[in-house]
């Protein structure tokens, strides 16, 4: 029996490494508008959107053995161990014939980042970073109305702390590699998408 990493590599070896995948990480604080803009990017640029949070929430609903652990972590605003999240991302990429993926809300800490790179061998094309004030993010999360257990003020504060302490350093890491494309995300949805388009159009034309 191999280790979890070996297993993940075998899974990767079976199909993910056969095609050259383009992966863009979509990062930013909770409520910065990642999901909203990913829907626009899918429509205009033919990417498949994979939200780490959505995959984790689907795993809870499916009654998986990890469900209770994931649910507790989300309620506390904590980051689920990368082993769990990476498996869900790998499976979703394998099940989809597309070769261009937006991975939204991942990597959220150094552990997520390093494990994804070593397990899948995938390096992101670039990192789309939605830069938004905490005041605006809080307002949006409290008005989101999707019935999410973590969109309450107590959990929101915890998520902001985790974002500052664990997620921002990942963005800084990619920035030091020249990979970050920063977007002013405080503006209205349409204006934010204009800025997003300016990032995607050149790389889209290159691959077209
Ligand atoms: N640019 C924007 N201006 C105002 N509200 C927005 C904007 N972008 C998204 N929203 C709203 O804010 C909430 C959070 O957006 P969402 O895309 O779910 O964020 P994230 O995926 O980063 O958590 C949603 O209710 C969404 O409709
Ligand atoms: N890579 C990730 C992404 C999300 N999550 C969990 O899922 C929660 C919701 O993440 P999300 O990306 O759906 O939502 P936002 O916090 O960005 O609004 C996070 O607060 C974490 O508890 C995680 O553990 N690991």
């Amino acid at each position: 029996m191999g280790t979890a990493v070996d297993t993940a590599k075998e899974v990767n070896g079976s199909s993910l490494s056969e095609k050259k995948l383009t992966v863009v990480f979509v990062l930013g604080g909770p409520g910065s508008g990642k999901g909203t803009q990913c829907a626009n990017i899918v429509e205009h640029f033919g990417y498949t959107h994979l939200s780490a949070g959505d995959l984790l929430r689907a795993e809870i609903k499916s009654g998986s053995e990890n469900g209770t652990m994931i649910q507790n972590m989300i309620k506390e605003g904590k980051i689920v161990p990368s082993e769990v999240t990476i498996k869900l991302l790998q499976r979703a990429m394998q099940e989809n014939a597309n070769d261009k993926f937006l991975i939204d809300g991942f990597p959220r800490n150094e552990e997520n980042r390093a494990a994804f790179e070593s397990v899948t061998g995938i390096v992101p094309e670039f990192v789309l970073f939605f830069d938004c004030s905490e005041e605006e993010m809080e307002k949006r999360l409290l008005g989101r109305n999707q019935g999410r257990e973590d969109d309450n003020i107590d959990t929101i504060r915890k998520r902001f702390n985790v974002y500052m302490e664990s997620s921002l350093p990942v963005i800084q890491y990619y920035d030091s590699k020249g990979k970050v494309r920063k977007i002013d995300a405080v503006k209205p949805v349409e204006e934010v998408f204009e800025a997003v388009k300016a990032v995607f159009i050149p790389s889209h034309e290159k691959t077209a």
Side-chain angles (χ1 to χ4, degrees):
M1 280 257 299
T3 63
V5 169
D6 286 339
T7 313
K9 269 188 177 147
E10 282 157 23
V11 172
N12 180 31
S14 69
S15 78
L16 278 188
S17 60
E18 282 166 20
K19 51 184 178 180
K20 162 91 177 81
L21 297 182
T22 300
V23 166
V24 173
F25 288 147
V26 182
L27 300 178
S32 58
K34 302 182 293 295
T36 302
Q37 295 300 331
C38 281
N40 285 335
I41 298 164
V42 164
E43 207 178 304
H44 285 75
F45 299 106
Y47 280 75
T48 293
H49 174 209
L50 300 179
S51 154
D54 285 352
L55 289 168
L56 290 167
R57 284 182 287 273
E59 190 68 0
I60 298 171
K61 278 214 184 114
S62 78
S64 123
E65 55 174 346
N66 285 322
T68 310
M69 179 274 287
I70 298 171
Q71 190 167 24
N72 290 334
M73 303 286 279
I74 289 182
K75 230 173 174 169
E76 286 303 309
K78 292 184 179 155
I79 299 168
V80 173
S82 62
E83 187 189 288
V84 172
T85 317
I86 289 171
K87 262 190 203 142
L88 296 174
L89 288 168
Q90 279 188 304
R91 196 200 298 161
M93 285 192 281
Q94 277 161 358
E95 284 172 359
N96 197 298
N98 202 349
D99 59 357
K100 297 195 295 183
F101 295 94
L102 294 172
I103 299 192
D104 158 12
F106 182 98
R108 240 175 166 94
N109 62 9
E110 174 59 21
E111 191 229 357
N112 275 185
R113 184 199 69 71
F116 184 84
E117 218 170 284
S118 70
V119 166
T120 67
I122 295 171
V123 174
E125 197 77 2
F126 58 86
V127 174
L128 194 61
F129 166 42
F130 291 111
D131 188 25
C132 195
S133 66
E134 205 166 285
E135 187 191 3
E136 176 67 18
M137 294 194 287
E138 182 179 307
K139 202 170 75 187
R140 289 180 190 175
L141 291 173
L142 290 173
R144 182 149 60 179
N145 260 333
Q146 287 178 352
R148 276 176 52 170
E149 268 191 300
D150 57 347
D151 281 350
N152 60 79
I153 193 64
D154 283 351
T155 310
I156 288 170
R157 297 239 157 91
K158 291 178 183 166
R159 288 156 71 197
F160 285 161
N161 285 336
V162 169
Y163 172 66
M164 299 294 284
E165 279 172 23
S166 304
S167 310
L168 270 182
V170 172
I171 294 163
Q172 282 156 1
Y173 167 86
Y174 284 118
D175 199 28
S176 74
K177 307 225 167 257
K179 292 234 167 202
V180 171
R181 309 290 178 267
K182 182 164 139 181
I183 305 286
D184 177 359
V186 180
K187 292 180 175 161
V189 173
E190 299 71 26
E191 282 179 46
V192 175
F193 189 53
E194 284 308 309
V196 168
K197 273 200 269 190
V199 170
F200 276 87
I201 284 169
S203 70
H204 185 66
E205 281 171 352
K206 243 193 299 177
T207 54

